[in-house]
Amino acid sequence: MKKENDLGKDSVKRLVIRLAIPTMIAQFVNILYSIIDRMYIGNIPRIGDVALAGVGICGPIVTMLSSFGTLVGLGGSILMAMRQGEGNEKRARQLMSNSFLMLIGFAGGLTVSFLLLKDKLLMWFGASAVTFEYADTYLSIYTAGTFFALMSIGLNYFITCQGFATAGMATVLTGAITNIVFDPIFIFVFDMGVAGAAVATVVAQLMSCLFAMGFLSRKKVPIGICFGNYSGKTMLKIMSVGFSPFMILATDSVIILVTNAVLQKYGGSGQGDLLISGATIVQSYMMLITGPLLGISGGTQAILSYNYGAKQIGRVKKAEWCILKMGVFFTAVMFLLTQVAAPYFVQIFTRQGELTQLAVWGIRVYTLGVIPLSFQYVLVDGLTALGRTKTALALSLFRKTGYVVLTLIFPAVLAAKAAFYAEPVMDILSAIISTTVYLLVIGKHLRQREGV
């Protein structure tokens, strides 16, 4: 099968566009999984707002589960792209086979673990006596489909890292379209409510999984699903490279956990659930920005990894600059669009007056730092793609730790709603720190690779 993109020879600018745009679209559509679920749930008669809060509590747990797909998929695919750049096909195949086995192992282990721990997890993540019923229903069904979620996420990295950006997009689109079709049928036609939303999501993930496995089973794919040559050392290397992006995603769950707990505590019995519902809508909107932004920074990592492996340092530098410009342009457009679009977006979820007012205000506050955020995403993902994972992890944890600290401090000093300001403050501060560190380390890192 002929590659759509030759990572070592095609024009860098065209490669960035051809890999970033399909991945952006895929990420955007992938966000629809969550948004469409929440949209329909928020409009369930009589229980919509409370059910929305319950499903919102499941969000960070779902993110935590899916982050294991990134741990293996991104770690393995970055290493595989480097080995392909070096021309070491045997080593590249070993990375594929070991990654596939790890995905199967994680999927099985996590399914059992989360089903056993889900009640405690929901209470830790801010479920109340009112919202627990809906959160428990959604999470029980979703967790049963963990295998499909992890496999589709993990395997898709191995599709895109070989230059098949359109196929990578199709993996996600297959699931998203399935979800869009089945959500209203299960929720309203079959009157399954929250359970219907979860079932639709699991079916969608199954379809994505089947597509990814089918594509990577084709004989003409340069490196498809393969078996054998297993190595504990190789598996540890895959996890060491994937650990930084894994922690970035996994700590998002911690942030939402802390945010929900703080809003519940300082909002009290009268405002706690309302604030969590508002935060759920705000976080859904932010995903429309961070998802495609991740498509830009993450979808183009293969260009950096492949050319770094091939010691084409000039192409690495040019690619990183193109990726950054694309990220800044996208976030600038989204910042301006937010000022107009926020009220219309909120109306998708609710028409309840107080919740609408809170969510619109929250969206505008959260997006104050989205333009600097593009520097954080592009530079940290760039360092990860070039094997500088410890630096990338440190920069990401700085942002996440600062966010948690401010989320705890602002409501205690001011009011519960002040927790919403933690996001833009840390987006701006972390962008400054990440840019400074990147400029200090990248020159030496690339020179060392040139001299190998």
Side-chain angles (χ1 to χ4, degrees):
M1 182 179 293
K2 185 181 183 296
K3 289 187 179 182
E4 297 172 2
N5 304 289
D6 189 324
L7 302 177
K9 296 179 180 178
D10 289 354
S11 162
V12 170
K13 289 183 180 179
R14 291 179 181 176
L15 277 173
V16 169
I17 293 171
R18 292 202 300 255
L19 267 67
I21 290 180
T23 314
M24 284 178 69
I25 294 171
Q27 287 290 338
F28 175 78
V29 175
N30 196 33
I31 300 306
L32 293 180
Y33 275 133
S34 176
I35 291 179
I36 288 173
D37 279 349
R38 295 175 181 184
M39 177 184 72
Y40 284 123
I41 289 167
N43 285 281
I44 296 174
R46 297 183 303 279
I47 65 167
D49 292 342
V50 177
L52 180 62
V55 174
I57 290 163
C58 296
I61 303 175
V62 169
T63 300
M64 188 183 298
L65 278 168
S66 63
S67 63
F68 284 89
T70 299
L71 170 67
V72 177
L74 189 54
S77 65
I78 284 175
L79 290 170
M80 193 174 88
M82 287 184 180
R83 300 297 85 81
Q84 286 182 298
E86 295 171 353
N88 191 343
E89 292 294 310
K90 181 179 178 181
R91 178 60 174 159
R93 290 184 182 280
Q94 183 187 27
L95 287 160
M96 178 72 228
S97 66
N98 280 259
S99 297
F100 186 68
L101 180 63
M102 291 169 69
L103 285 171
I104 293 174
F106 274 119
L110 288 169
T111 299
V112 175
S113 300
F114 272 63
L115 284 173
L116 293 174
L117 297 172
K118 63 181 176 61
D119 289 2
K120 291 182 179 179
L121 286 171
L122 289 172
M123 297 310 296
W124 290 342
F125 278 65
S128 66
V130 177
T131 59
F132 180 84
E133 173 188 351
Y134 306 103
D136 183 57
T137 298
Y138 187 91
L139 188 62
S140 297
I141 296 170
Y142 182 92
T143 305
T146 297
F147 177 86
F148 308 126
L150 260 65
M151 294 301 288
S152 62
I153 291 168
L155 292 178
N156 208 34
Y157 284 109
F158 292 95
I159 294 175
T160 56
C161 84
Q162 296 184 72
F164 298 107
T166 303
M169 178 178 67
T171 302
V172 179
L173 288 177
T174 299
I177 293 170
T178 303
N179 197 48
I180 291 169
V181 171
F182 282 107
D183 245 335
I185 294 174
F186 287 130
I187 293 173
F188 298 112
V189 177
F190 294 163
D191 196 26
M192 294 176 65
V194 170
V199 171
T201 300
V202 171
V203 172
Q205 289 168 342
L206 168 62
M207 298 305 294
S208 288
C209 176
L210 292 175
F211 183 92
M213 293 183 72
F215 186 86
L216 286 172
S217 297
R218 297 180 184 182
K219 293 182 179 180
K220 293 184 179 180
V221 174
I223 299 180
I225 293 174
C226 49
F227 307 93
N229 203 12
Y230 301 118
S231 162
K233 185 177 179 180
T234 297
M235 293 182 185
L236 287 174
K237 181 64 175 177
I238 289 168
M239 287 194 290
S240 70
V241 174
F243 186 71
S244 174
F246 164 76
M247 282 299 296
I248 293 169
L249 288 173
T251 50
D252 281 344
S253 301
V254 177
I255 287 173
I256 297 175
L257 163 64
V258 172
T259 301
N260 287 347
V262 166
L263 293 175
Q264 193 68 258
K265 176 182 178 180
Y266 290 99
S269 58
Q271 293 289 307
D273 287 343
L274 175 71
L275 288 169
I276 291 176
S277 293
T280 299
I281 295 172
V282 172
Q283 289 153 6
S284 295
Y285 185 84
M286 279 297 292
M287 289 163 65
L288 291 176
I289 299 176
T290 58
L293 182 57
L294 181 62
I296 295 172
S297 63
T300 53
Q301 283 179 307
I303 305 171
L304 301 174
S305 298
Y306 185 98
N307 286 287
Y308 181 75
K311 299 184 184 180
Q312 298 191 57
I313 303 305
R315 287 175 63 84
V316 172
K317 292 178 179 178
K318 188 172 183 179
E320 187 74 308
W321 177 236
C322 291
I323 296 164
L324 182 59
K325 287 192 292 184
M326 194 172 187
V328 171
F329 176 78
F330 170 73
T331 51
V333 170
M334 291 303 296
F335 174 76
L336 295 174
L337 183 62
T338 297
Q339 310 312 309
V340 178
Y344 301 102
F345 179 83
V346 172
Q347 287 178 15
I348 296 173
F349 295 88
T350 182
R351 297 299 176 96
Q352 200 268 336
E354 189 176 7
L355 178 56
T356 297
Q357 185 178 10
L358 170 67
V360 171
W361 170 84
I363 287 173
R364 287 173 175 161
V365 168
Y366 256 59
T367 54
L368 290 173
V370 292
I371 298 176
L373 185 63
S374 61
F375 285 78
Q376 172 77 8
Y377 270 61
V378 171
L379 299 182
V380 169
D381 280 357
L383 289 170
T384 302
L386 298 174
R388 189 97 187 195
T389 53
K390 291 181 180 179
T391 306
L393 178 60
L395 293 174
S396 296
L397 290 181
F398 170 77
R399 175 173 173 257
K400 302 297 178 67
T401 302
Y403 184 103
V404 170
V405 170
L406 294 183
T407 299
L408 293 170
I409 292 175
F410 285 172
V413 175
L414 302 170
K417 285 175 62 176
F420 287 77
Y421 284 101
E423 172 83 24
V425 171
M426 283 311 303
D427 286 349
I428 295 169
L429 181 58
S430 61
I432 294 171
I433 298 297
S434 294
T435 302
T436 302
V437 171
Y438 182 88
L439 292 174
L440 289 173
V441 306
I442 192 62
K444 182 180 179 181
H445 184 74
L446 294 177
R447 286 194 297 271
Q448 285 178 337
R449 178 60 186 170
E450 260 183 324
V452 173

